[in-house]
Amino acid sequence: MTNEQYQEAIDWLFVQMPNYQIDGQKAYKPGLDNITRLCAFFGNPQEKIKCIHIGGTNGKGSSSNMLASVLQEEGYKTGLYNSPHLIDFTERIKVNGENCNKEFVFEFILKLKQLPEDIRPSFFEFTTIMAFEYFAQQGVDFAIIEVGLGGRLDSTNIITPLISAITNVQLDHQNILGDTIEEIAREKAGIVKKNIPVISGDENEAVKNIIKAKATQENAPFIDATQIHTDLSSDLKGNYQKKNIRVVWAMVAELRKQGILISDEALEKGLLNVHQNTGFIGRWFEFSNHPLTICDTGHNQAGLEYVFSQLNSIDRHKHVILGFVNDKKIDEVMDLLPENSEFYFAKPSINRGRHPEDYENLLREAKIFYKIFNSVQEAYLSAKEQCTNEEMIFIGGSNFVVGEFLEKNLEIHK
């Protein structure tokens, strides 16, 4: 397999399959019928691996990478399935921090082309079965599976995990999951399985009660991670990570109850070495010190509130680069923008990317100092030219903005 052949296969995959990351709601195919048939076609690899299931509006990516790092520190061969990817497709599927083998991806796409006519998976269904098969072939001790969207009808919900966790519930993807926190909570609580412990990390009593009611219905032990007090810290530096650490602590405690050896040392070292062990970036990621340059993929209202609050706590003038996709409610974002900042709005280079000219009326109304750019890289180069070493640059608003920035600049930075 050449690099050209691999890229052709990936390009074919993105074109052929409905892809939420690119196309949005029209690519979303809820329900487990298709993934059930797809898994059966490949011999149900998800039944050959021990899984841990992690959902939630925000924090599921950080929590899953933290737990993977902890398990790796204990010496377990650990699979990790996250989405979306920032730079390369293979980031979605990792074993002990190493991206999925490109040869495997190429060969698996060839198998996909041989699927019966009546099985036509979505992009996410395909990547999910790919992860299951890769983890089974690699003989992982544990596979940490992050929910894609929602929970109840998500493709990943075909698994029977050792434990489940729901980090939190916030308003996001309302056009798919529901218009209220309660409706979304019920969708996310759909990952609760009979007799399988579920950890809840949300402080909202209404959310907590919905998850607890579902756990009671399924006779599943309910663990409230918000009641946990720990001084453990992580190399993932966002202030919001303290909440995720509690969820990880609770997951470790439940795994220990099942006889799985995880030492206090592995827990502590795992939390402090997430970047090194899993290659996880994009959450309050310090790209540079000169000038201070931070990336964060927080993109819904709750995520941006956390991120912008932390920005406000930094006493520097800020150059803030933001970009959004078509379904983003820009007016909500305008109310959250950090203080002491000038703004660089850019269009993410994907189909769903929204050009700032479309919402420039909101920018004017916000009475902020802003510029508009056709690409994230143009915005970054402009901000870098204006920024002194006593100031800082922030890049965010969308996974795609951060991914685009890192793809253009990470190798140069290294």
Side-chain angles (χ1 to χ4, degrees), residues 65-78 96-97 141-142 144 235 252 261-278:
N65 276 268
M66 285 179 183
L67 182 61
S69 181
V70 169
L71 292 173
Q72 286 171 228
E73 287 287 351
E74 192 56 63
Y76 295 115
K77 191 173 187 180
T78 306
N96 281 1
D141 296 308
F142 302 101
I144 300 169
D235 61 335
V252 167
L261 176 64
I262 305 172
S263 67
D264 289 343
E265 182 184 9
L267 175 57
E268 186 175 347
K269 288 179 65 177
L271 289 172
L272 290 173
N273 292 291
V274 181
H275 287 304
Q276 178 183 319
N277 288 341
T278 73

Side-chain angles (χ1 to χ4, degrees), residues 343-398:
F343 298 90
Y344 306 68
F345 290 92
K347 178 189 179 298
S349 61
I350 59 164
N351 291 354
R352 293 166 59 210
R354 189 171 179 186
H355 200 287
E357 289 175 353
D358 294 345
Y359 53 85
E360 190 171 7
N361 61 317
L362 295 174
L363 302 182
R364 291 195 195 99
E365 289 172 10
K367 293 183 170 55
I368 56 175
F369 181 81
Y370 70 90
K371 297 177 184 176
I372 285 176
F373 298 87
N374 291 319
S375 74
V376 173
Q377 187 64 3
E378 285 179 25
Y380 170 63
L381 292 176
S382 177
K384 191 176 179 185
E385 187 176 335
Q386 299 297 319
C387 187
T388 69
N389 276 341
E390 290 70 42
E391 299 173 345
M392 71 172 291
I393 297 173
F394 174 83
I395 302 107
S398 164

Side-chain angles (χ1 to χ4, degrees), residues 136-167:
Q137 286 189 19
Q138 291 287 311
V140 300
D141 296 308
F142 302 101
I144 300 169
I145 308 296
E146 179 191 334
V147 173
L149 196 160
R152 181 175 65 92
L153 300 176
D154 189 74
S155 303
T156 64
N157 208 25
I158 193 173
I159 63 175
T160 303
L162 300 174
I163 55 172
S164 303
I166 300 170
T167 54

